[in-house]
Amino acid sequence: WIKLIGITGQIVAPIFGGFASALFNWRFSFFCLAIVWAASACYAARYMVESCPDNDDAKAEGTTYLRGIWRILAPASLCNLLTQMCAMTSFTVFNANIGYVAQVSYGQSSIATATILLVWALLDALGVGVMQTFRSACGLSILQTGRFIVVMMALSGILSMILGIYAEHLWSYLIACFSQSLCLAAAMVPLNVLYSEPLEDCAGLAAS
């Protein structure tokens, strides 16, 4: 859920920024961010506490982290981590490029770009819901769910390559992106569970 919250934030921010710049001006988003960060700083100063007990043995602590690093280099964990990196790269590339592609390459407005991001976010959430329903209906394990959604990611990638033939049309770009959005967040859920499960302590997660 923490991962999904992070992804949701990255999706909502460009949507808000697009509408804010169109309705007000480009500075409006920065004023809002300043307020959010100020509120976050006040909250952290008041409520944030130390979550890790003091450990005077720095050598033992270093050994623990090194053990955590060694665990993520196991073939299964490393393969899972690389798969997650591919999914997050697709997500990041879309967010980084959509503004330029929509407005410069296809002549769309900032409102249209924000709307595209909104549809992307809705499909992202829909993909998670559909995958959870499918998993419950079919009685799939977390591993089987992860395998299935990774295959779907691969198929959406192949579809995107085929649609590249019609790259001069906006609809081609959007179909390719939206087909991937249905899989990305849905893939991150089982992959995260499979990846975090062997790293049962804070040292393993910090090393990862």
Side-chain angles (χ1 to χ4, degrees):
W1 287 110
I2 292 176
K3 177 71 73 174
L4 285 177
I5 291 171
I7 292 174
T8 302
Q10 295 178 56
I11 291 171
V12 171
I15 298 171
F16 174 81
F19 280 106
S21 63
L23 297 175
F24 301 101
N25 57 58
W26 63 270
R27 295 180 180 86
F28 185 80
S29 297
F30 293 93
F31 287 128
C32 292
L33 283 174
I35 295 171
V36 170
W37 278 109
S40 299
C42 293
Y43 177 85
R46 174 65 180 83
Y47 295 105
M48 188 174 289
V49 296
E50 175 59 62
S51 60
C52 182
D54 292 334
N55 186 357
D56 296 329
D57 192 348
K59 183 177 180 180
E61 186 177 348
T63 303
T64 304
Y65 279 104
L66 288 174
R67 192 184 306 122
I69 293 174
W70 178 251
R71 274 183 288 168
I72 68 169
L73 292 177
S77 296
L78 190 59
C79 179
N80 191 322
L81 182 61
L82 292 173
T83 306
Q84 290 190 59
M85 288 173 61
C86 289
M88 287 306 299
T89 299
S90 299
F91 173 84
T92 306
V93 167
F94 173 81
N95 270 286
N97 291 340
I98 183 59
Y100 180 86
V101 170
Q103 295 179 44
V104 177
S105 300
Y106 295 111
Q108 301 297 310
S109 64
S110 58
I111 290 290
T113 304
T115 304
I116 292 171
L117 281 164
L118 177 60
V119 174
W120 166 279
L122 292 174
L123 290 175
D124 222 28
L126 178 63
V128 175
V130 170
M131 178 49 59
Q132 293 287 63
T133 303
F134 178 76
R135 175 174 175 265
S136 299
C138 298
L140 299 178
S141 67
I142 295 294
L143 179 59
Q144 291 171 325
T145 305
R147 286 174 173 169
F148 176 80
I149 195 63
V150 167
V151 170
M152 296 304 296
M153 281 177 59
L155 293 176
S156 69
I158 293 171
L159 175 64
S160 300
M161 293 176 65
I162 295 173
L163 289 171
I165 299 172
Y166 307 98
E168 67 274 9
H169 301 290
L170 179 60
W171 61 264
S172 171
Y173 179 78
L174 293 181
I175 291 175
C177 291
F178 291 161
S179 68
Q180 292 183 41
S181 70
L182 283 167
C183 302
L184 293 181
M188 295 305 295
V189 175
L191 289 175
N192 252 313
V193 173
L194 292 170
Y195 181 70
S196 301
E197 199 171 26
L199 309 177
E200 65 278 355
D201 54 30
C202 289
L205 292 175
S208 69

